[in-house]
Amino acid sequence: MTESDARDAPDSTDRPRLIEPVERRRDASGRVILVGEGARAYMGVSAAEEALLAHIDGSVDVAALVRTGLGLPQPLKPVDSLGLLRRLHRVGLIDGVANTAAWLGTAGPRGPIGRLSRRLTKSRGAGLPVPALATLTRAGVALPGWLWRPLAWLGFALIAAALVAGVVVGRVDVWLDPFAWTVRPLIGVLRLYAAMSLLLSWRGLVRGFALASLDVPCQAACLTHFCGIIHLDVDSREIRAASASARTSVAWSGLAALALVTGTAGLLVIFDVSVDAGLHAIGAGGVVLLLLDSAPYLRSDGRDLAGIKAGIPELRKRSASFLLRRAVRNLFRREPVSRTEQTYLAIASYWLAHAVVTIRLIVAYALPGTFELVSISTRSDGAGQVGALETVFAIGLSVVLLVVLVILICAIGAILINGLVQLVRPPRRGRPETASAVGEELAASLRTEVERVPFLASLGEESLDRIVAVMHQEQWRPNAVIVRQGEPGDRFCFIRKGKARVSLEEESGLVHPIGELGAGDFFGEVALVSDVPRTATVQAITEVELLSLERGVFLELVEGSGFAREAILDQVRNAAFLRKVPAFRSLSAVLVRRLLEGVTVVRRPAGEDIVRQGDQAAALFVIREGTCEVLRQTDDGGETLHRITTLPAGQWFGEIALLRATVRTATVRAIDDVTLLEVPAALFAEIVLDDYETCAELEEIAAHRVTVLESESV
């Protein structure tokens, strides 16, 4: 990387190493399985990745490991090396990546809360191995993989029937109130705990059946805990490597197990007054667990289903960001929202609806029941006060429910208040500390610096002198926003001194730092050719001195120059649209020049296929003008093409096949006449290998697109 390409790269002091002892096994297909101490962590490793494991010994840093992967007999692409490190870190099989963890996307919350969260997560899989349960789950091979969704819907139908019947006969409170059937707090709590433990064990067994029915290995089973409830469960981490349809089926199986038991128990409780307290506990406990397992904001089956259906990676983080930054604002937008934003609005509605239902159940049933338990435990009878232990249990439950209630109410309030503030106080446009025209003396010394800009250097000495002379010199303080994403683009900026951070706010409202710009870098070239909103935010890190050029002045100079106007504007357009590819936004001037020298402008008429599914990949395409549609055959091999999405100007395609050395994963067809920038595979590989962070950025986008393709074609 060049000096001007100073970006948020991994800290060179980090030297990853495998945590000992790590056992290496091979499965039936010959793939290496790494197993941590006590079988608490494991992951599969491909044959190509296996050769790199020997070098993860703490002797070299992340960048050196990437270069080592490229030099292996079976070369590993940078994205594959980084993906291996990411997976190893997530399952806890490497250390020495303290500074790199945030860059790898595996760093969790910091501070005491973060430490507590990591300890709870790490201890959740700990427990006593139960080989018999793992053996029992193998019986699931006799079950069809499609069974789990209808079973879940049957369970939800039983719950709906129980709710309707409970309202009619007036006994719904008896079912939904966890403590409506006890007068002894300690006994009631123990019964509820035992019922929830049995329900979670049943859920784990059914998930094991689902894994077996889908040919996904169930590696182990053990006694574990969920929110402190000890129960039997299966290790389903292997499901992460399965297809979207398999992950969906396993998630449905977990909901089906809880819904069927909860609905059945609810009907029995409502229609049979003589049912004992144990069944009451199962019915009420099932409601609590089903509510937890369907929550989109927890690690639950409900979140997994929503994420797979939406095709959105890291759904919980992106949904939370959308609720805080975009949800209320989008409700008041008059212009149509995109399909992705519609998806986020649907998920946000799911979040809020689930929170409201949870608040309703806590206020109407759980809190009155616990308050009654507190009253009973402190009430005097013939034998005196009820035991102190029972009193502690009752008061503790009341406190926990009150805390959950306050958190949910505060969260909803924060979302609404934050959204109203955004509507009342929209972001303001940044203003420089000082701004002045460039004098003649300074212009002479600046011309050499501005020649680094590829599309300006071709104007010739006289025109370049005139451009520098009409530029404005701006001074910006640290942390000042130079340009903001979404505001009108009116000028081109060249950084002379200082550093600035480039960040992108995606449709969820999540902000990603995508790089840093230093002396000699430039941004805003799209503003020279079209009046479009800014595509990213640039914020000063240190004091920044930059030169700016307004669009009108630039166009006047181009018209008066002796060069072909369209040829110059074509170079500007090419640079501008290449910058719209997220991984290319922060490339140095040198790399941008290499891109501009190697790209080809391609024009295709409406209705023509630009790439076809199954063809060999030869280039990456960026759409400069026009619109394309993405079509894909179904997994059953039919010839009918189904539209997956449309790609407007500024979008790109073809990176999946290039990054993964595979054939085209979809057909892209021109909807109307289109103008494309074709980046040859050799040039693409040269830039990717020169900057492995660019490759990682593209791979993240490619992984998201593959998920969408899988979810749409199954």
Side-chain angles (χ1 to χ4, degrees), residues 602-623:
V602 178
R603 291 177 173 84
R604 292 287 184 268
E608 182 174 318
D609 290 343
I610 302 165
V611 300
R612 291 186 176 89
Q613 183 175 346
D615 288 351
Q616 292 297 318
L620 168 77
F621 293 91
V622 181
I623 305 173

Side-chain angles (χ1 to χ4, degrees), residues 420-501:
L420 291 175
V421 169
Q422 293 175 40
L423 293 174
V424 175
R425 298 176 59 187
R428 295 182 179 179
R429 188 171 183 177
R431 295 183 179 276
E433 184 178 1
T434 61
S436 59
V438 176
E440 293 183 5
E441 295 182 2
L442 182 59
S445 63
L446 291 179
R447 202 191 76 179
T448 303
E449 297 182 44
V450 177
E451 281 181 343
R452 301 177 188 174
V453 181
F455 47 82
L456 294 182
S458 61
L459 288 175
E461 294 184 4
E462 182 179 349
S463 297
L464 194 58
D465 286 337
R466 293 173 60 191
I467 282 181
V468 173
V470 296
M471 279 184 160
H472 282 78
Q473 190 176 13
E474 301 178 6
Q475 297 284 345
W476 293 85
R477 295 176 180 176
N479 299 318
V481 176
I482 302 172
V483 299
R484 191 183 300 276
Q485 182 177 343
E487 71 181 15
D490 57 357
R491 72 196 195 283
F492 163 78
C493 299
F494 174 84
I495 297 179
R496 191 178 178 221
K497 296 179 182 178
K499 288 185 178 181
R501 180 182 298 106

Side-chain angles (χ1 to χ4, degrees), residues 62 66 78-87 103-104 692 696:
V62 174
V66 170
V79 67
D80 295 328
S81 299
L82 294 170
L84 174 63
L85 293 176
R86 184 180 293 113
R87 285 157 45 218
W103 184 85
L104 288 174
Y692 61 83

Side-chain angles (χ1 to χ4, degrees), residues 204-449:
L205 181 61
V206 172
R207 284 172 65 87
F209 288 156
L211 290 169
S213 69
L214 297 163
D215 293 325
V216 177
C218 174
Q219 298 292 337
C222 63
L223 279 173
T224 184
H225 69 86
F226 174 72
C227 297
I229 303 171
I230 307 299
H231 64 283
L232 292 168
D233 204 354
V234 297
D235 188 344
S236 59
R237 282 173 290 181
E238 186 71 22
I239 194 65
R240 295 175 184 172
S243 65
S245 60
R247 298 196 305 273
T248 300
S249 295
V250 173
W252 278 117
S253 70
L255 291 172
L258 294 175
L260 285 170
V261 176
T262 302
T264 303
L267 287 171
L268 292 174
V269 168
I270 288 170
F271 286 111
D272 191 351
V273 181
S274 64
V275 172
D276 63 14
L279 191 57
H280 280 265
I282 290 176
V287 172
V288 174
L289 291 178
L290 191 59
L291 201 64
L292 288 172
D293 198 38
S294 60
Y297 38 79
L298 301 174
R299 291 188 174 182
S300 64
D301 289 324
R303 185 198 69 174
D304 292 340
L305 285 173
I308 296 169
K309 178 63 177 176
I312 299 174
E314 297 182 308
L315 176 69
R316 182 170 53 177
K317 181 167 67 175
R318 283 180 163 84
S319 299
S321 174
F322 181 81
L323 283 166
L324 288 172
R325 294 176 178 269
R326 293 285 187 89
V328 176
R329 187 170 59 189
N330 275 20
L331 290 176
F332 290 89
R333 281 177 55 179
R334 294 184 178 180
E335 65 272 17
V337 297
S338 67
R339 182 177 177 182
T340 303
E341 289 175 309
Q342 291 174 354
T343 301
Y344 278 120
L345 281 171
I347 294 172
S349 301
Y350 179 23
W351 273 62
L352 295 176
H354 190 279
V356 169
V357 170
T358 303
I359 291 172
R360 166 66 178 167
L361 291 176
I362 291 176
V363 172
Y365 302 109
L367 271 181
T370 55
F371 288 159
E372 179 64 21
L373 289 182
V374 173
S375 174
I376 293 173
S377 64
T378 56
R379 188 183 304 155
S380 177
D381 56 19
Q385 296 288 342
V386 176
L389 184 60
E390 296 182 348
T391 303
V392 171
F393 266 111
I395 294 176
L397 280 173
S398 300
V399 170
V400 170
L401 289 173
L402 282 171
V403 169
V404 172
L405 183 63
V406 169
I407 290 174
L408 289 173
I409 293 176
C410 289
I412 294 177
I415 290 168
L416 295 176
I417 292 173
N418 189 60
L420 291 175
V421 169
Q422 293 175 40
L423 293 174
V424 175
R425 298 176 59 187
R428 295 182 179 179
R429 188 171 183 177
R431 295 183 179 276
E433 184 178 1
T434 61
S436 59
V438 176
E440 293 183 5
E441 295 182 2
L442 182 59
S445 63
L446 291 179
R447 202 191 76 179
T448 303
E449 297 182 44

Side-chain angles (χ1 to χ4, degrees), residues 141-198:
V141 296
L143 301 173
W146 52 264
L147 178 66
W148 311 107
R149 181 180 299 191
L151 283 180
W153 284 114
L154 175 61
F156 290 132
L158 291 175
I159 292 173
L163 285 172
V164 172
V167 172
V168 171
V169 302
R171 286 180 55 83
V172 70
D173 293 352
V174 179
W175 171 33
L176 297 179
D177 186 352
F179 307 107
W181 31 263
T182 183
V183 295
R184 295 296 304 274
L186 181 59
I187 294 176
V189 169
L190 290 177
R191 282 176 177 166
L192 185 65
Y193 184 95
M196 295 174 78
S197 179
L198 288 173

